[in-house]
Amino acid sequence: MRTQKRPIHAVSMWVRRQPPKVKAFLAVVSGMAALVLLRVIVHDHDNLFVAAEAVHSIGISVLIYKLTKEKTCAGLSLKSQELTAIFLAVRLYCSFVMEYDIHTLLDLATLATTLWVIYMIRFKLKSSYMEDKDNFVIYYVVVPCAVLALCIHPTTSHNLLNRISWAFCVYLEAVSVLPQLRVMQNTKIVEPFTAHYVFALGVARFLSCAHWVLQVLDSRGRLLVALGYGLWPSMVLISEIVQTFILADFCYYYIKSVFGGQLVLRLPSGVV
C-alpha cells in the first residue's frame, strides 16, 4: 500500500514546490487533457450536462445526510446556500417565461432542497452554525453581478428585464460557492461530509464547463453565435470556466487527502 502512495506523494510535493505560474500552467494542461479524454469517450456531449446535474444531486444528498444524521451544520456556509437559492429562483423565473423544459423541473427540485437546507441552518441547527467563520460579505458578489448583468446580457428578442435576469443568474452562479470556500479557509480543517459536498460541486462545474466547451468546438463556434452577439456569448463561456477554476484548488487538496488516506481535509493557508 505504501508503494502505491509514494509516487502520488512525490508528484504532490513536486507540484507544491512549483511557483504559481507553473501551477497555473499545469492546471490548464490537466484541464485540456481531461477535455480531450471526454471528447473521445463521450459521443453525445449533452450527457455531460446530465452528468453534471447528477453529480450535483449526489452532493446535495451528502449535505442532506449530514444535516439529518449528524445533526450539525458546522462547516457549512449559510450565505453560500442563500446565494444558491437566489440564482436558482431567478433562473426558474427565466425558465418559466423564456424556455420551459425538463431542466426547469430539476432546478425547482434543487431550489426546494436548498431552501430546506437554509431552514435547517437558520432554525433547527442554529446552535452549530459557525456564524463568525461565515464572514463573507455577499454584497461583494451580488452587486457586481447585477451591474455586469445590466451591462452585458443576451441580445435575444425576449423582454429586457428577462434578459438581464438571465445574465444575473449566470454570473451569480459562477461565484456562489465563494462564501463556502471562505468558511473552509477560516476553519482550515474540513470535515468529510462538507468536503464531499464541495468536491461534488467542483466535479459538476467541470462537467458543465466541459459540456459548453466541447459544444462550441463541435459547432465550430456556431453555438456562440446562436446565443446572440456582442460580449454575452463569451461571458457565458467565461462564467463556466470561472466556476471551474474557483473550485480547482480545493479539488486538488481533496484528491490529495483521499489518496493520502486522511478522513479530515486540512487546507493550507492561501487556498482560497
Side-chain angles (χ1 to χ4, degrees):
M1 192 69 177
R2 291 182 180 176
T3 56
Q4 293 177 351
K5 292 181 181 179
R6 285 176 183 172
I8 297 174
H9 180 71
V11 171
S12 174
M13 292 299 294
W14 179 81
V15 172
R16 184 183 298 183
R17 291 193 298 267
Q18 302 309 306
K21 290 184 178 180
V22 175
K23 290 181 180 179
F25 173 76
L26 292 174
V28 172
V29 171
S30 300
M32 293 177 64
L35 284 175
V36 172
L37 180 63
L38 287 173
R39 190 172 190 180
V40 172
I41 65 177
V42 180
H43 300 292
D44 186 355
H45 297 148
D46 284 335
N47 292 333
L48 292 176
F49 196 76
V50 176
E53 293 182 333
V55 173
H56 191 181
S57 299
I58 293 173
I60 293 176
S61 299
V62 170
L63 198 58
I64 292 174
Y65 181 86
K66 171 185 171 67
L67 296 177
T68 56
K69 299 298 182 180
E70 300 290 317
K71 302 296 182 182
T72 177
C73 62
L76 292 179
S77 169
L78 173 62
K79 293 180 180 180
S80 201
Q81 296 300 318
E82 289 174 340
L83 288 177
T84 300
I86 291 172
F87 84 71
L88 283 172
V90 175
R91 192 160 72 187
L92 268 174
Y93 162 76
C94 295
S95 294
F96 278 119
V97 299
M98 298 174 70
E99 49 177 8
Y100 182 85
D101 55 20
I102 185 61
H103 298 296
T104 305
L105 299 178
L106 295 174
D107 282 341
L108 182 61
T110 305
L111 176 60
T113 306
T114 303
L115 291 175
W116 178 83
V117 170
I118 292 174
Y119 169 77
M120 292 293 288
I121 296 176
R122 277 193 173 276
F123 302 103
K124 294 293 185 179
L125 303 174
K126 187 177 181 179
S127 60
S128 60
Y129 171 49
M130 298 177 174
E131 187 173 0
D132 59 322
K133 303 295 183 183
D134 195 11
N135 55 10
F136 190 93
V137 182
I138 61 176
Y139 298 111
Y140 288 171
V141 293
V142 173
V143 173
C145 287
V147 173
L148 191 59
L150 286 172
C151 299
I152 305 175
H153 48 264
T155 54
T156 59
S157 59
H158 298 95
N159 180 275
L160 178 61
L161 176 62
N162 298 338
R163 288 184 279 135
I164 293 175
S165 299
W166 185 5
F168 175 71
C169 72
V170 169
Y171 300 144
L172 189 60
E173 182 183 11
V175 294
S176 60
V177 76
L178 286 179
Q180 179 62 62
L181 295 179
R182 172 66 66 82
V183 170
M184 295 189 299
Q185 182 61 52
N186 288 338
T187 58
K188 292 296 189 296
I189 298 177
V190 187
E191 57 83 33
F193 288 112
T194 302
H196 298 335
Y197 165 67
V198 178
F199 179 71
L201 291 182
V203 173
R205 288 299 92 219
F206 172 76
L207 292 174
S208 178
C209 180
H211 165 261
W212 278 102
V213 171
L214 293 179
Q215 289 284 74
V216 170
L217 292 176
D218 288 347
S219 65
R220 299 178 184 271
R222 290 191 298 272
L223 178 62
L224 294 178
V225 177
L227 292 173
Y229 55 86
L231 293 175
W232 168 246
S234 299
M235 288 302 295
V236 173
L237 194 58
I238 290 173
S239 296
E240 291 286 343
I241 295 173
V242 166
Q243 292 181 68
T244 302
F245 273 91
I246 284 176
L247 287 162
D249 209 13
F250 170 82
C251 290
Y252 162 74
Y253 284 102
Y254 175 89
I255 295 172
K256 178 177 176 292
S257 177
V258 170
F259 278 109
Q262 300 175 13
L263 295 178
V264 177
L265 177 62
R266 300 177 186 273
L267 296 177
S269 300
V271 173
V272 181

